[in-house]
Structure formats: structure tokens, C-alpha cells
Amino acid sequence: MRVTIYDVAKQAGVGIGTVSRVINNSPHISPKTRDKVLKVIKQLKYQPYVMAQGLARKKTNTIACIVPYFTGYFYFELLNGVQQALSRNGYDLILYSVDLFEKKEDILKRTLRERRVDGVLVSSMTISDNYAAKFIHSKIPVALVDGFHQLLDSITIENHEGAYLATSHLLKLGHIKIGMINGCLNSVPAKIRLQGYKQALIDNNITLDEQCIFNVEPNAEPALRNNDGFNKLAGYIAMKKMLALRKNRPTAVFISSDIKAAGAIKAIQEHGLKIPDQIAIVGFDGIELSEYLGLTTMKQPMFKMGDLAVKILINKIQNGVNNEKVFKQLFHPQLVVRETCGASLVQADYR
Amino acid sequence: MRVTIYDVAKQAGVGIGTVSRVINNSPHISPKTRDKVLKVIKQLKYQPYVMAQGLARKKTNTIACIVPYFTGYFYFELLNGVQQALSRNGYDLILYSVDLFEKKEDILKRTLRERRVDGVLVSSMTISDNYAAKFIHSKIPVALVDGFHQLLDSITIENHEGAYLATSHLLKLGHIKIGMINGCLNSVPAKIRLQGYKQALIDNNITLDEQCIFNVEPNAEPALRNNDGFNKLAGYIAMKKMLALRKNRPTAVFISSDIKAAGAIKAIQEHGLKIPDQIAIVGFDGIELSEYLGLTTMKQPMFKMGDLAVKILINKIQNGVNNEKVFKQLFHPQLVVRETCGASLVQADYR
DNA sequence: CTATTTTATGGAAGCCCTTCCACAATTTGT
DNA sequence: ACAAATTGTGGAAGGGCTTCCATAAAATAG
């Protein structure tokens, strides 16, 4: 029925081992037989059956990518980098999107047991020590992107620096009263961005006004907490609250994610205020959407991060996991100045 | 080393066949042994090894989804539907993104031969008769989304109707001079949308003005042709050209994709014109971005389309392919009125 | 209570590869 | 020229599962 390695071997008048060696271009094979076998392979349109290879090799040539899906664009750009790096190396991508917390556990567990993949890329999620240990023990390499664990390869962004720069930018533009809209503080990036923001104010001798800082409460309704509070609705609601402030309303806001900024902008427009004249905004992430919104933001090199994560994984897959050597890479976010901060305008690039 | 079915069998004091039957909950098994086996499975944390299952069953419980990646948002929403439907059914998703034409062929070929997947979902791509025949012959079910082939299950949108309605909407708002910005005419949707647009004008006794119709030439530079001409840059360039018209410049434009509309809007802003006062716009697709742009558009139910495609595939996978019965489903796009057309405003929904 | 049907169970064969060992053929050294 | 080292090749074993056939046990019938 389907063409197997036996058919090829018979047709070419060689042993199956030889065919296998040709397929995997093992060195010890004479050019003559190689050609002969290759010809038959082409003629029979033979293609090795991945499942069987997987079983025999105990490799799948596949990596899993686990992302919290519904947050959208951020992952989209990351996936692009991942996808390209993978296909360059002949790996396939199995995509898992996680909406609920339990599902995350579920998927981690499955990845661990089923061994359907050779490596796992986890984006924007905390991995419990428990699972970290399990993965290490299983020897399945894991790379965290936009997430950190002491014992796992982690690719992160300098959140403190980013928040600091974003806030500083607003300060330089002359703003004194700068608020912050943030995610849930149980998310590490949110916490650190808050610190960066505070530090910038402190370094400029500005007293903090806690009532201008809007975090998402850990016990908020699910729609607000979704994705650690980095979602449109939460931004919208937070900005509504901020706009309702009777006195000392900020003239500028650092919003710790672009998607929240999108919600916030909507709220501002509904309120009838002008951006950036009456309220200036700087976001965080640099997703494509920010371009359309004219949003000044701290851009994360997501494509690069995805690319790097894949390289790390493939390296470990091919050269074996060495748990002593944990890879940590810190990327620096970059300020992209657009309209919402009130500084000079920059053309969106069309490339 | 790893726990196999043999370990479970031994530990439970049964045969491997019995264990297998428990795993696949085959009917002919006594409750007593089932419980016994299940207990051991839990105790040993046994999880079947997918590769081996795949080899034995000749099923992979995986479907491939092939999308042209770089166009972005459209597929993002589609994938959401796909992903949810799949995970509900215990299937995994292998994602292939295609940038170049050759790569498409490549991936189709691989899917066909490697048999890594049980079914293939192809989005927004034409499948040659050649490959259609190959897939049919291979018995690997294929579903086309936003694409059509006589012999393959196809889920499409009523492009003619959509374009007609979009254009009619502008006509109803009083516009007489309505232009169109379109993709490459060798893409079927582009061709049909053009027809719909023309029909609407004809039905309203408006003479066509070919100079107000901007298709992407098949020999245009690659950046413009990308994704059949449905890209930002092409929209930007087309609008620039339209704005340069000396006389009889349209007061409204139907743009056959939201992403192109995004580019066009940029061009209009640069030109210093006001939307919708000086130029009204209706797009097509209803990607999330349209919401941010305040773009009036014809919304495609992408989530639903993805969901349906998966259902079709899984059905065929589980009940066998019946090539006599080809499934065709036509969805209707829906007009979403926002700011860019100049009709009454509608709140973006925050849910 | 025995004969027949039904239901439950064990395990060999098979799915398609890779890998390793043994052996054959060739090359190198002397 | 022959021994030793090197290179090339065949095919068995093994990877972990499903499935089918044979057999054992239980249920039903007479």
C-alpha cells in the first residue's frame, strides 16, 4: 500500500540499513549506492514515515509552543519568529493555546508524558517549580520567552529599564503628574514595570501618588484579570477610573501594555479628551497595533525573541541538555516615539 | 526507563492487550479489570506514547493548518476557532505558515507524504487540480477555508454579496462617485468582489469609471503582490494614486480588505484629508484591527469558519472520507458600521 | 447439568523506521 | 604478496503501541 523502506531496498537491490543510511545521509556509504538508492527513492516517491522515525529515533522533530492565545497580537509576532526559525531547521510547530489556568497544567503535563515534541517553548507564563523540576528531569528542553525561571532557559525583556525609560520620556516632555496603568501585580513583569516607573519618578524628585497607579486587583472579575490583567477591557476600565479623578488627574500615563493602552485610548476618546494634548500616553510591547494607534511605546523585539528561543531549543535537542548551563538572555526594549506622547511625530514605516 | 504498556500489564497482572483496551476504552472489558488497570496506570503515571500509537493506528490525532502567515490578523482569528474546536476533540494543531509560493507546494507535498497529520486545513489559498487529486487519492481529508475547489470541502464567504452590500451602503449614504481598491485579480475573491462592486453601481445606474478601480497588477513588485495584493503597502500606494486623480476623484472607496484599508487610511491622513467627511471608506474582512481603526467593514465570521472546518475534518477522519460527498458552505459577511463611512457611530464592544 | 453462545483476556504479529553488530570488500602498509 | 586497518553493507533487534486470533471464563439455553 504505502511505500516503505523495504520497497526501496528491494527495488534498489540493497539492504534496508543502506536505504536508511542514505536517507539520513550517514557518511559511510559509497557514492555509487547512494545514487542508486536516491534514484529509486525518487522513482518510488518514497518519503519516510515520521511516526515510525519518531518511534525508532525517539525524536519527533517537532516543538511545542504554548501561548496564552486570547491576548493576541503579541504572540502573533513572536510566532512569526518561531515559525521561521523552525522551518529553517526542518522542525514542525505544534501550537497550544491556553485560555484557562487548568489548561496550562494540562498541556504541560501532556507535553511531558506523551513525548510528542522534542522541546517546549512557553511564552508569557510562569512555570511552577514543580513543573520546572519535572521538565528538567524529563530532559525535554524548555525555553521561556517573556517569562523567567531560575532553572530554565529564559528570554526576558528588561522590564525595569523599559518602564523607567517610558516614564522618563514623559518626564522629559515636561509632565510632572504621571500615572500608571498596570496589570496584576502577581505577574512578575507587571511588578517590575511598576518599580521602574516608580524609580523614574523618584530619581526626578517627584512624589508618588498611589491613587494614580491602577493595578488590576487579583480578585477582580475574570474578564479583567485575563492574561494577568493585560487586556483591553482592563485598560478601558482603569482609564475610566483615572479620568474620574476629581483632582490631581495625571496629564500623562504610562500603560504597561499596548493592548491595555488601546482600551485606555477608547476611554479617553469617549471622555472627549484629546491625546496627547490633554493626556499623553506611552505604552509597552510594541505590537503592530501600536503603529495604527499612533501609540508611543516601548518595543520588545518579539520576533528576535522567538527566533532565539528556537535556536536554544534546537541546540539543546541536538547536543543534549546540560542542566548546569542555563541560558539567560535579556533584551532591551526600545522607545518608539509616535503621536500619543506628544513628542515629534515619526512616520510609521511601510515595509 | 519510560513506562510502557508492558510495565502496566505486568504490574496489573494482565496482558498488554487488556491494557490497550482499557486505554482505548474498548467495550469488552470487565469493570473489575478496568479498575485494576486504571489504578496501575495512575500509580505508574503511565501515558501512552503518541508516536507508537500513531505508528500502530496509522492515525496521528493531529491536523495541519496551512496559512499565509504574514498577512496577519485574519488568520489569527481563524486560528482561534480552529484551536478551540481541535482541543475540544483532543486533536493537536500543527501550524505551517507559508510565505512563498514554492513553500506552499513544499508543505502540501510533505503533508501528503509524511502522513504526520490526519487532515489538512488550508486557508486562503488556491489548490491546484493536481494537488486536489493527490489529496483525494491519498484519502487525507482537506478543508479549504476562504478558498474553493470543486472537489474539496470548501468554506467560503459570499464575496459578491459582500462587495455589493458594501458598495450599496456607500450609495445609500449618498455617494455617487465610488472607487474601489482591490487585490490581484488572479485571486478569486478579488475578482468576485470587483464584480459585486460593479453590479451595485450598475444596479444604481451609475456608470463605471475604470480609473477609479485600483487592482494590484500581477506583475507588480513582490511587496505589493504579497498575499494576492491584500497588504498594507498596496493599500497605501493605491490610495496615493487615487488621491492624485486630478478630476472626478471618488468621495468614497470600497477597499476589499481591512489591511489594505489600514494602508489607505494612512495615505489619506498624510494627504491631510478627513475621513469620512472628505472621503468615506468601507473595508472587508472585519479583523480586530478594523475596530481600532473605526473602520466600517464587511465582517467575515472567521472564528465560525475555523470551527466548521475542523468539524468537517474530524468527521471525515473518524467516519472515513467519502469523496462523493463534497461539503460546501457559504457564509454571509455582515456589514459593521463604524466611523469611516460617515454613517451613525456604533460603540466598539468590549467583551 | 451439559451444550452453546457470549464475553473477557493473553499475546503474537505487524506498523515503519534506526541502530548496532557481524561480515564482506576494499584500501593501506610493509 | 599478505596482514591489518578501514570502509561499506545486510539485516536482526528493538522502539511502544493496536489488532486480531486463539483460548479461557462466564452466561445462557435446553
Side-chain angles (χ1 to χ4, degrees):
Chain A
M1 148 102 231
R2 90 185 307 278
V3 185
T4 75
I5 205 169
Y6 290 92
D7 302 321
V8 176
K10 197 190 290 175
Q11 182 78 221
V14 300
I16 54 163
T18 304
V19 177
S20 176
R21 259 156 289 184
V22 170
I23 294 165
N24 303 288
N25 44 93
S26 133
H28 296 300
I29 204 142
S30 77
K32 216 188 299 177
T33 37
R34 157 167 283 122
D35 287 352
K36 190 167 57 181
V37 171
L38 284 176
K39 193 151 33 168
V40 176
I41 286 180
K42 189 164 276 177
Q43 177 196 326
L44 260 49
K45 296 187 179 180
Y46 167 74
Q47 183 107 356
Y49 185 48
V50 229
M51 287 284 138
Q53 283 186 317
L55 181 57
R57 279 209 271 252
K58 303 185 150 196
K59 289 272 148 138
T60 62
N61 265 270
T62 304
I63 78 135
C65 190
I66 309 180
V67 300
Y69 219 173
F70 299 102
T71 38
Y73 306 114
F74 182 95
Y75 305 102
F76 196 64
E77 302 181 20
L78 176 79
L79 280 178
N80 241 305
V82 170
Q83 177 77 71
Q84 282 193 25
L86 284 178
S87 86
R88 237 195 338 269
N89 289 279
Y91 277 75
D92 280 338
L93 167 69
I94 290 197
L95 187 62
Y96 292 103
S97 73
V98 172
D99 37 1
L100 305 165
F101 177 77
E102 312 90 70
K103 218 170 143 194
K104 175 175 105 182
E105 295 262 309
D106 232 58
I107 288 176
L108 290 177
K109 209 178 295 174
R110 268 181 60 198
T111 342
L112 218 40
R113 298 255 192 80
E114 282 184 348
R115 299 202 155 255
R116 173 188 284 263
V117 296
D118 298 337
V120 184
L121 193 162
V122 180
S123 176
S124 314
M125 278 186 262
T126 43
I127 299 287
S128 66
D129 292 347
N130 178 20
Y131 273 101
K134 280 185 185 168
F135 272 105
I136 288 168
H137 178 251
S138 77
K139 307 251 179 201
I140 299 178
V142 180
L144 300 184
V145 171
D146 182 30
F148 186 90
H149 192 285
Q150 196 56 47
L151 304 173
L152 299 173
D153 295 338
S154 310
I155 299 173
T156 39
I157 194 93
E158 241 303 358
N159 283 304
H160 192 280
E161 176 189 313
Y164 190 93
L165 288 176
T167 312
S168 300
H169 178 66
L170 290 169
L171 286 164
K172 272 184 218 139
L173 292 172
H175 292 280
I176 304 288
K177 192 75 194 171
I178 300 175
M180 175 169 181
I181 291 180
N182 200 8
C184 284
L185 287 186
N186 49 7
S187 130
V188 178
K191 212 185 307 182
I192 297 181
R193 289 175 197 175
L194 177 59
Q195 287 168 4
Y197 156 83
K198 286 185 174 173
Q199 194 61 49
L201 295 183
I202 290 168
D203 289 358
N204 284 270
N205 300 312
I206 293 177
T207 32
L208 291 175
D209 181 355
E210 290 288 345
Q211 78 162 359
C212 293
I213 300 174
F214 293 83
N215 302 305
V216 172
E217 298 300 329
N219 55 358
E221 58 170 305
L224 286 178
R225 253 181 320 154
N226 191 6
N227 192 233
D228 288 330
F230 294 119
N231 60 72
K232 250 187 298 178
L233 179 59
Y236 177 81
I237 300 285
M239 182 52 85
K240 282 268 178 198
K241 281 191 198 157
M242 184 177 288
L243 292 170
L245 286 179
R246 286 276 156 194
K247 52 178 187 175
N248 283 328
R249 197 175 65 195
T251 59
V253 191
F254 165 50
I255 304 178
S256 64
S257 105
D258 287 351
I259 202 78
K260 290 197 80 161
I265 287 171
K266 192 83 195 167
I268 294 170
Q269 285 168 346
E270 284 180 23
H271 202 82
L273 258 51
K274 278 233 153 195
I275 304 173
D277 307 341
Q278 296 173 280
I279 189 159
I281 291 187
V282 175
F284 203 110
D285 281 347
I287 61 180
E288 196 182 342
L289 177 61
S290 66
E291 190 185 307
Y292 295 103
L293 296 173
L295 181 65
T296 294
T297 190
M298 298 303 305
K299 186 169 173 61
Q300 301 197 43
M302 284 163 293
F303 187 95
K304 267 194 209 161
M305 291 165 84
D307 184 76
L308 177 63
V310 169
K311 280 183 187 145
I312 293 174
L313 285 176
I314 292 186
N315 175 40
K316 291 219 168 171
I317 290 167
Q318 288 172 353
N319 306 323
V321 190
N322 174 355
N323 288 318
E324 271 78 69
K325 206 158 163 63
V326 179
F327 191 94
K328 305 283 180 201
Q329 171 85 295
L330 207 51
F331 279 91
H332 296 273
Q334 208 187 343
L335 180 68
V336 177
V337 179
R338 295 208 187 86
E339 289 85 354
T340 58
C341 63
S344 62
L345 300 190
V346 168
Q347 296 286 352
D349 66 328
Y350 274 105
R351 245 163 315 130
Chain B
M1 147 103 232
R2 90 184 307 279
V3 185
T4 74
I5 205 169
Y6 289 93
D7 302 322
V8 176
K10 197 190 288 177
Q11 182 77 221
V14 299
I16 52 163
T18 305
V19 177
S20 175
R21 260 159 300 205
V22 170
I23 293 165
N24 303 288
N25 44 89
S26 131
H28 296 300
I29 204 140
S30 78
K32 216 189 298 177
T33 38
R34 156 167 284 122
D35 287 352
K36 190 168 55 183
V37 171
L38 283 176
K39 193 152 28 168
V40 175
I41 285 179
K42 188 164 277 176
Q43 178 196 325
L44 261 48
K45 296 186 179 179
Y46 167 75
Q47 183 107 355
Y49 185 47
V50 227
M51 289 284 139
Q53 282 187 317
L55 182 58
R57 276 209 273 250
K58 304 183 153 198
K59 289 270 150 143
T60 63
N61 266 271
T62 303
I63 79 134
C65 190
I66 309 180
V67 300
Y69 220 174
F70 299 103
T71 37
Y73 306 112
F74 182 95
Y75 305 101
F76 196 64
E77 301 181 19
L78 175 79
L79 281 178
N80 240 307
V82 169
Q83 177 78 71
Q84 281 193 28
L86 284 178
S87 87
R88 237 197 335 271
N89 288 279
Y91 278 76
D92 279 338
L93 166 68
I94 290 197
L95 187 61
Y96 293 103
S97 73
V98 172
D99 37 1
L100 305 165
F101 177 78
E102 311 90 70
K103 217 170 142 194
K104 174 174 104 183
E105 295 260 310
D106 234 56
I107 288 177
L108 290 177
K109 210 179 292 173
R110 269 182 60 197
T111 344
L112 218 39
R113 297 253 193 80
E114 281 185 347
R115 297 201 156 258
R116 172 187 285 263
V117 297
D118 297 338
V120 184
L121 193 163
V122 180
S123 176
S124 314
M125 278 186 263
T126 43
I127 299 287
S128 66
D129 291 349
N130 179 20
Y131 272 101
K134 280 184 186 169
F135 272 105
I136 289 169
H137 178 251
S138 77
K139 307 251 181 202
I140 298 179
V142 180
L144 300 184
V145 172
D146 183 30
F148 187 90
H149 192 285
Q150 196 57 46
L151 304 173
L152 300 173
D153 295 338
S154 310
I155 299 174
T156 39
I157 193 93
E158 241 302 358
N159 283 302
H160 191 280
E161 177 188 312
Y164 190 94
L165 288 175
T167 312
S168 301
H169 178 66
L170 289 169
L171 286 165
K172 272 184 218 139
L173 292 173
H175 293 279
I176 303 290
K177 192 75 192 168
I178 300 174
M180 175 169 181
I181 290 179
N182 199 8
C184 286
L185 287 186
N186 49 6
S187 129
V188 178
K191 211 184 308 181
I192 297 180
R193 289 175 197 174
L194 177 60
Q195 288 168 5
Y197 156 83
K198 285 185 175 173
Q199 193 62 49
L201 295 184
I202 291 168
D203 289 358
N204 284 271
N205 301 313
I206 293 177
T207 32
L208 292 176
D209 181 356
E210 291 288 343
Q211 76 161 359
C212 294
I213 300 174
F214 294 83
N215 302 305
V216 172
E217 300 299 329
N219 55 357
E221 57 169 309
L224 286 176
R225 254 182 319 156
N226 191 6
N227 193 234
D228 289 332
F230 293 119
N231 61 72
K232 251 187 296 179
L233 179 60
Y236 178 81
I237 300 286
M239 183 52 85
K240 282 270 177 196
K241 281 191 198 156
M242 185 177 287
L243 292 170
L245 287 179
R246 287 275 154 192
K247 52 178 190 177
N248 283 328
R249 197 175 66 195
T251 59
V253 190
F254 165 49
I255 304 179
S256 64
S257 105
D258 287 351
I259 203 79
K260 291 197 79 161
I265 288 171
K266 192 84 193 166
I268 294 170
Q269 285 169 346
E270 284 181 23
H271 202 82
L273 258 53
K274 278 233 152 196
I275 304 173
D277 306 341
Q278 296 173 280
I279 189 159
I281 290 189
V282 176
F284 202 109
D285 281 347
I287 62 180
E288 197 183 341
L289 177 62
S290 67
E291 191 184 307
Y292 295 103
L293 296 173
L295 181 65
T296 294
T297 189
M298 298 303 306
K299 186 168 172 61
Q300 301 196 43
M302 283 163 295
F303 187 95
K304 266 194 209 162
M305 290 164 85
D307 183 77
L308 178 62
V310 169
K311 281 183 187 145
I312 293 174
L313 285 177
I314 292 185
N315 175 41
K316 290 218 167 168
I317 291 168
Q318 288 172 354
N319 305 324
V321 190
N322 173 356
N323 288 316
E324 270 79 68
K325 206 158 164 61
V326 179
F327 191 94
K328 304 284 178 200
Q329 171 87 294
L330 207 52
F331 280 92
H332 297 274
Q334 208 187 346
L335 180 68
V336 178
V337 178
R338 295 207 186 88
E339 290 85 354
T340 58
C341 62
S344 63
L345 300 190
V346 169
Q347 296 284 353
D349 66 329
Y350 275 104
R351 244 165 317 125

